[in-house]
Amino acid sequence: MTTKPPKGHFNILYFASAGSYTSKNVEALPAPLPLRKLFATLEERYQGFRASVLDHSLVTINLTYVDVPGEDAAEEAEEIVIQEGDEVAIIPPVSSG
Amino acid sequence: MATTDEDTFLEQEGCYVALTNSPLNLQSIVDRVRSPQAGAIVLFAGTTRDSFDNKPVKELQYTAYRPLALRTMLSICAALRAKHALKGIAMVHRLGVVPIGEESILIAVSAPHRQAAWRAGEEALEECKARVEVWKREEFEDGEGVWRANRDGVRGERVG
């Protein structure tokens, strides 16, 4: 299994095309991070990642699918925030079978 | 890495799902769903093809988000077992390098009568291809490699 992220971080897993684009399968990013800022944070690290991969991908937090709100979404009281120790994954379109 | 090379499986009443890096065994998946109350067992074996759009493929490589893929496979199997009153349903996907012509997925279902078994087998494969968190990479003879999408260009649907 994935190594536990360092204190104050969460793990993000990159599968298939996400892994090819970032040249890694997993990395630790600073937590907490509001979910609506996730794609912008990743785009900053990997230019072009959003259009190539993220816009066609789904996101899970701790094995549960979540809706990623747009960045301009108003800050809401119940907004999802990625927490220290969470496991986030980028799920590109699947191709089993 | 998020994954290990060990076999992993989940099971609950009448349902068995697994991911493995080893060659798949047709007889053992059939035996998993065998039942004295069944009048039919349908087995589907998906094998790796040597070309994509006439381009020669050297080998295929599969990777998975193992814990999530197993969960999704089990939820597909449990839903189909209830819908078609199956006696048993099993789904095993191979990961890692799968040489051309070998099985990458096996699905076996048993039911009292053949109609339900045929239908459930087909639905299980379609649901698996649409939802299970497994990815296929085709390595072409010319050295290029491509991550394939079952619904190329289509955004994935959120699944429960």
Side-chain angles (χ1 to χ4, degrees):
Chain A
M1 287 312 292
T2 312
T3 332
K4 220 170 146 252
K7 199 169 160 38
H9 288 70
F10 67 93
N11 273 340
I12 180 160
L13 310 182
Y14 302 115
F15 290 99
S17 55
S20 300
Y21 202 91
T22 59
S23 302
K24 53 189 77 154
N25 296 310
V26 58
E27 71 180 320
L29 297 177
L33 178 72
L35 180 59
R36 72 191 152 82
K37 292 188 176 159
L38 178 66
F39 284 6
T41 303
L42 294 174
E43 176 67 23
E44 214 169 274
R45 298 173 78 90
Y46 308 101
Q47 222 189 344
F49 193 23
R50 187 169 204 149
S52 298
V53 178
L54 296 176
D55 284 346
H56 315 286
S57 298
L58 299 176
V59 174
T60 60
I61 301 178
N62 301 329
L63 302 181
T64 301
Y65 283 92
V66 291
D67 280 324
V68 180
E71 256 147 285
D72 342 322
E75 210 170 309
E76 289 171 45
E78 74 275 20
E79 82 168 341
I80 298 174
V81 177
I82 302 166
Q83 303 292 344
E84 172 178 344
D86 280 353
E87 182 175 278
V88 175
I90 304 299
I91 312 284
V94 299
S95 47
S96 66
Chain B
M1 273 299 287
T3 59
T4 69
D5 282 346
E6 294 160 34
D7 290 7
T8 38
F9 70 95
L10 290 177
E11 58 189 330
Q12 67 182 42
E13 40 178 346
C15 301
Y16 174 90
V17 300
L19 297 168
T20 177
N21 284 61
S22 307
L24 302 179
N25 186 311
L26 282 71
Q27 186 63 54
S28 73
I29 195 170
V30 167
D31 290 340
R32 279 201 182 276
V33 301
R34 192 177 294 285
S35 159
Q37 284 96 46
I41 292 175
V42 165
L43 169 66
F44 173 83
T47 54
T48 51
R49 200 168 35 226
D50 68 356
S51 66
F52 183 86
D53 273 354
N54 295 323
K55 221 174 151 188
V57 172
K58 191 174 69 178
E59 64 183 23
L60 288 94
Q61 189 153 357
Y62 290 89
T63 184
Y65 190 4
R66 283 181 183 247
L68 187 56
L70 285 168
R71 250 190 222 199
T72 304
M73 289 161 79
L74 191 63
S75 97
I76 291 168
C77 289
L80 288 174
R81 178 174 174 266
K83 181 180 173 188
H84 294 285
L86 302 176
K87 290 298 155 194
I89 177 166
M91 182 185 280
V92 182
H93 205 297
R94 186 169 169 188
L95 301 176
V97 172
V98 179
I100 297 300
E102 294 190 13
E103 290 81 11
S104 52
I105 184 170
L106 299 179
I107 295 172
V109 303
S110 63
H113 303 285
R114 67 184 181 281
Q115 292 89 345
W118 282 123
R119 269 188 226 116
E122 158 125 52
E123 285 175 34
L125 179 69
E126 295 306 318
E127 284 281 301
C128 175
K129 289 186 84 105
R131 288 174 52 192
V132 173
E133 292 85 356
V134 168
W135 295 271
K136 167 167 66 183
R137 186 177 167 85
E138 288 170 342
E139 306 290 348
F140 294 109
E141 291 287 1
D142 63 12
E144 197 199 338
V146 173
W147 286 108
R148 195 55 65 198
N150 284 342
R151 289 180 291 174
D152 265 320
V154 179
R155 193 194 152 97
E157 299 283 338
R158 184 175 172 188
V159 291

